[in-house]
Amino acid sequence: MAGTSVHHNLFLPQPQEDHHHKKAIDFASREQECISLLKRCKNMEDLKQSHCLILKLGLICSSFCTSNLVLTCALSNWGSMDYANSVFEQIEYPNSFEFNTMIRGHVKDMNVDKAIVLYDQMLEMGIKPDKFTYPSLLKGCACLRGLKEGMQFHGHVYKNGLDNDVFVQNSLINMYGKCGEITQSCSVFKQMDDFDRSLATWSAVIAAHASKEMWSECLSLFQELTNQRCWKAEESVLVSVLSSCTNLGALDLGRSAHGFLIKNLSGLNVIVETSLLDMYLKCGSLVKGLTIFERMKVKNQWTYSAMISGLALNGYGNEALRVFSEMVEKGFEPDEVVYVGVLTACSHEGLVEKGLDFFNKMKVDHKIEPTIQHYGCLVDLMGKAGKVKEAFDLINNMPMEANEVLWYSLLNACKIHQNFELGDKVAKKLLNLNSLSPSTYVMLSNMYAKAQKWEHVALTRKDMTQKGLIKTPGYSCIQVKRKAYKFVSNDIMLSHCEGVSDMIYQMELQLKFEGYFPDTSDVFLDVDDKEKIERLSRHSQKLAIAFGLINTSEGSPIRIVRNLRMCKDCHTYTKMISSIYERSIVVRDRNRFHHFEDGECSCKDYW
DNA sequence: GTAGGGTTAG
């Protein structure tokens, strides 16, 4: 009997079993040898040799070896998907590891279609996808903005009960984010427990909001993140945060992000430093921006570019031009983006001749073909300086068709310099372009209103309504105690508006005492003066200033970011408030900064 | 037994 014989031989040598055991050890050690060889591969030549060894040692039947062969080949930087595929195809029954690896390899090479084909094949063979399968597939969908496919995979994830895996969830958040489906992205995020979220979770959800330009949401999320267990200062998240601060003008938060970086990282790379620099400059903190710039050990052309446009934005056109010559001296070849900054510098300073010189230099010395953006700067430069006729000729002689932005800028200049005749021509050009931009229609209608052409006003309005266009609401953002508050013109029903109406009333009493009279010339509504004055008093900038005066300590600066250009009345009003309440008020509009101090503005009323 | 998610600027 086999049983008894085993029993009898329990303490005796068992030659047969020992032989098997030895063989098994032998096999395992050969496997290990191959794996370590594979790990040492540095190129395809090495890999082919390892492959040969695997064949020679008869290890091709070892799933562990072939798996690692496919892995090394498919995922190394020097690898080859073709070769990986030839190995993969010889595997009679590939397991999920091998499928996952091949799928990942195809996604890495941006062959998402091939990855999806393999996934289907996997299902057909009855191999169950696991938590490793979906992250790469979802990444593929994210890269290709394939929402439809992404949603299907989401369904499969759910069906396979993998919706609790943090990697899968992060991939879903990222996929929905890249496809612009912020609601879905948030919904996956919200379904996760605080404890399950990793830094990548936060990074993905913050990036998703950033791509939708939901800046204040980005910052709220970042605030939340800093209270988390997984939180550690890390460059990529902080760059997104810094760019949110930049776009919101959230200087306080930008500053604390800077603090995190200093505290937690030994050295900052040039990307982070450039975003920091850009943040300070675009938040109107010029001195800080300059300090960073001067201390930077490594600067590249992006750094110079940020510095040049930052200086221009703050009204230091001449300084911007000095930095530009430094950049050229250091041997950085200026590109077309830098030249946009240079021309903007000239435009904000009213340096018409210099601007034209630079424009020519760009073409002749640096062989840069001017883009429509450069022409846009020139049109702006000339238009603002009152040379509207010259700007018009320039547009007509450009090598390309003018776009809406150019005509819009010229129309604005015509409005400022009250050249209604040319304005009318420009208006027609704009109408011909049949643009669907609401701001164009608003500008047109304002233009006609100023010229008292009420029929045209009515027509423009009607046209706008028929096209279903809604006027872009003007807003002003203000940052108080690390929170951004948004004020929309005429909207005092917002929860944070409490006390603002009373403050506006008090401010107006003070202003009147100082001789302020509302300037309704920029209110182009067909309503009576009383209504105009009332609307004027509820412009978003005024609401934001009132809120700022209530909620910040005496003497501290008030910083506001607007989406549109401010009206003449708001400009005068802010100048006066800065002296009455002894506050410096920094307002960023869509083009530049206004630093209000002691009743004056840094733009010298030229904007 | 092997592996996976978020990478940024002017």
Side-chain angles (χ1 to χ4, degrees):
Chain A
M1 309 279 132
T4 48
S5 105
V6 166
H7 184 76
H8 276 290
N9 295 329
L10 201 56
F11 300 103
L12 294 171
Q14 294 171 355
Q16 194 70 11
E17 295 231 340
D18 191 49
H19 179 67
H20 279 311
H21 188 57
K22 210 172 154 222
K23 244 176 120 179
I25 291 173
D26 212 34
F27 189 76
S29 73
R30 274 183 291 155
E31 261 188 340
Q32 277 312 317
E33 196 187 325
C34 284
I35 303 298
S36 60
L37 195 62
L38 277 169
K39 280 196 179 134
R40 285 200 303 270
C41 286
K42 293 276 175 292
N43 49 48
M44 278 308 286
E45 210 39 57
D46 294 348
L47 185 105
K48 280 175 187 166
Q49 279 184 19
S50 308
H51 191 185
C52 283
L53 191 76
I54 289 171
L55 292 167
K56 220 163 84 183
L57 297 178
L59 288 169
I60 203 69
C61 61
S62 151
S63 156
F64 193 48
C65 281
T66 24
S67 290
N68 279 290
L69 179 64
V70 171
L71 178 77
T72 311
C73 192
L75 299 179
S76 307
N77 292 328
W78 44 262
S80 145
M81 272 314 279
D82 284 339
Y83 198 90
N85 199 43
S86 68
V87 178
F88 178 75
E89 276 180 345
Q90 280 170 27
I91 306 172
E92 202 174 354
Y93 298 108
N95 59 22
S96 63
F97 181 93
E98 286 141 6
F99 267 113
N100 291 343
T101 306
M102 287 300 289
I103 288 173
R104 218 172 116 211
H106 282 311
V107 170
K108 186 169 152 273
D109 285 1
M110 292 294 288
N111 286 320
V112 183
D113 289 351
K114 287 188 184 168
I116 294 178
V117 168
L118 265 182
Y119 174 75
D120 289 337
Q121 207 177 314
M122 187 177 178
L123 294 187
E124 271 169 36
M125 286 181 70
I127 292 160
K128 219 168 133 68
D130 58 22
K131 59 181 184 173
F132 293 99
T133 316
Y134 294 103
S136 47
L137 283 171
L138 289 166
K139 188 183 187 171
C141 298
C143 288
L144 295 185
R145 310 285 183 264
L147 178 63
K148 227 177 72 191
E149 293 82 356
M151 283 169 74
Q152 275 173 7
F153 287 130
H154 191 179
H156 292 200
V157 162
Y158 190 73
K159 226 172 57 191
N160 288 312
L162 295 168
D163 51 331
N164 282 321
D165 182 79
V166 62
F167 285 83
V168 175
Q169 288 165 316
N170 292 347
S171 309
L172 282 167
I173 293 172
N174 179 47
M175 182 276 292
Y176 282 123
K178 291 270 152 61
C179 295
E181 287 292 314
I182 192 71
T183 324
Q184 294 299 322
S185 195
C186 283
S187 134
V188 177
F189 179 77
K190 280 179 193 147
Q191 279 165 28
M192 296 170 77
D193 282 336
D194 258 356
F195 202 77
D196 293 333
R197 292 171 180 156
S198 65
L199 190 56
T201 316
W202 289 91
S203 173
V205 81
I206 290 174
H209 284 87
S211 71
K212 277 283 185 186
E213 306 198 342
M214 295 166 80
W215 310 117
S216 39
E217 288 81 356
C218 275
L219 294 185
S220 311
L221 284 164
F222 176 65
Q223 289 269 114
E224 242 185 280
L225 165 63
T226 54
N227 299 323
Q228 301 297 310
R229 173 187 53 92
C230 67
W231 155 247
K232 69 179 207 303
E234 184 244 13
E235 284 167 343
S236 70
V237 177
L238 276 154
V239 168
S240 305
V241 169
L242 283 171
S243 114
S244 303
C245 296
T246 307
N247 282 284
L248 280 175
L251 181 61
D252 282 355
L253 214 104
R255 228 185 253 132
S256 58
H258 187 189
F260 283 131
L261 286 167
I262 294 170
K263 220 171 87 183
N264 295 291
L265 298 169
S266 51
L268 306 181
N269 66 26
V270 64
I271 299 180
V272 183
E273 280 189 314
T274 303
S275 345
L276 265 176
L277 169 80
D278 192 45
M279 184 277 291
Y280 280 118
L281 293 174
K282 293 220 173 101
C283 288
S285 188
L286 196 67
V287 180
K288 193 76 195 171
L290 261 171
T291 316
I292 292 184
F293 182 72
E294 277 158 8
R295 285 185 191 168
M296 279 175 76
K297 288 202 180 79
V298 183
K299 291 175 194 166
N300 58 22
Q301 58 160 334
W302 295 61
T303 317
Y304 277 101
S305 188
M307 195 63 214
I308 290 163
S309 53
L311 283 166
L313 205 63
N314 283 281
Y316 293 83
N318 287 313
E319 263 303 288
L321 298 179
R322 196 196 56 74
V323 173
F324 176 67
S325 36
E326 186 187 311
M327 171 182 175
V328 178
E329 270 168 35
K330 290 263 160 72
F332 292 106
E333 188 67 14
D335 67 3
E336 50 183 56
V337 184
V338 177
Y339 265 109
V340 171
V342 169
L343 294 176
T344 311
C346 297
S347 168
H348 286 167
E349 287 274 321
L351 303 167
V352 181
E353 289 309 312
K354 240 183 180 155
L356 287 168
D357 276 354
F358 276 118
F359 185 76
N360 288 326
K361 229 183 182 155
M362 172 179 91
K363 287 197 291 189
V364 180
D365 294 0
H366 296 288
K367 311 265 181 289
I368 297 169
E369 222 20 72
T371 66
I372 196 146
Q373 250 193 307
H374 299 111
Y375 281 103
C377 290
L378 281 194
V379 168
D380 195 53
L381 172 70
M382 298 203 250
K384 265 212 299 248
K387 296 178 183 292
V388 281
K389 181 72 183 60
E390 288 88 336
F392 185 71
D393 290 342
L394 178 74
I395 294 184
N396 285 323
N397 291 319
M398 291 186 327
M400 71 282 274
E401 276 299 304
N403 63 14
E404 196 200 337
V405 181
L406 261 76
W407 290 122
Y408 186 79
S409 144
L410 185 54
L411 184 57
N412 194 25
C414 289
K415 198 187 101 194
I416 294 169
H417 295 285
Q418 313 235 332
N419 189 334
F420 298 126
E421 203 187 314
L422 186 62
D424 207 46
K425 270 194 200 169
V426 176
K428 287 208 174 73
K429 296 275 188 188
L430 268 169
L431 272 181
N432 279 340
L433 279 177
N434 198 20
S435 143
L436 287 174
S437 152
S439 51
T440 307
Y441 280 87
V442 172
M443 171 75 92
L444 271 177
S445 137
N446 290 351
M447 174 88 205
Y448 289 137
K450 207 158 190 170
Q452 311 260 310
K453 295 185 171 178
W454 300 112
E455 269 173 51
H456 286 72
V457 172
L459 271 173
T460 315
R461 290 277 152 112
K462 200 177 149 203
D463 203 11
M464 207 175 151
T465 325
Q466 276 174 354
K467 289 193 169 106
L469 299 175
I470 298 158
K471 185 184 164 188
T472 317
Y475 66 77
S476 301
C477 281
I478 184 169
Q479 249 259 312
V480 173
K481 295 200 184 84
R482 293 195 186 179
K483 210 170 161 211
Y485 298 87
K486 187 173 174 178
F487 291 88
V488 180
S489 291
N490 288 306
D491 192 353
I492 50 168
M493 300 309 283
L494 296 166
S495 61
H496 54 263
C497 277
E498 211 184 297
V500 165
S501 292
D502 289 345
M503 191 64 204
I504 292 267
Y505 179 71
Q506 283 189 31
M507 284 154 74
E508 276 175 10
L509 287 180
Q510 298 268 3
L511 285 162
K512 272 184 195 135
F513 183 71
E514 298 291 330
Y516 161 81
F517 192 78
D519 176 357
T520 55
S521 64
D522 273 358
V523 182
F524 304 105
L525 293 167
D526 206 3
V527 293
D528 61 31
D529 272 3
K530 189 168 164 276
E531 170 83 16
K532 278 189 183 179
I533 290 173
E534 209 165 303
R535 287 196 178 236
L536 204 57
S537 76
R538 292 196 303 258
H539 273 182
S540 65
Q541 184 164 320
K542 290 163 185 156
L543 301 179
I545 291 174
F547 182 84
L549 286 172
I550 300 169
N551 293 293
T552 58
S553 54
E554 228 166 276
S556 64
I558 291 175
R559 298 176 181 275
I560 290 167
V561 176
R562 305 174 46 92
N563 63 335
L564 305 171
R565 193 179 176 274
M566 80 183 85
C567 78
K568 246 176 18 205
D569 185 67
C570 282
H571 199 262
T572 315
Y573 186 105
T574 311
K575 282 201 288 188
M576 292 181 78
I577 291 286
S578 76
S579 82
I580 295 169
Y581 289 87
E582 294 178 36
R583 294 283 196 119
S584 103
I585 302 171
V586 184
V587 181
R588 188 178 117 196
D589 76 16
R590 64 183 299 165
N591 290 323
R592 61 169 300 151
F593 274 99
H594 298 258
H595 295 262
F596 296 94
E597 193 109 49
D598 299 327
E600 299 286 326
C601 178
S602 63
C603 77
K604 303 169 204 99
D605 300 335
Y606 185 79
W607 86 96

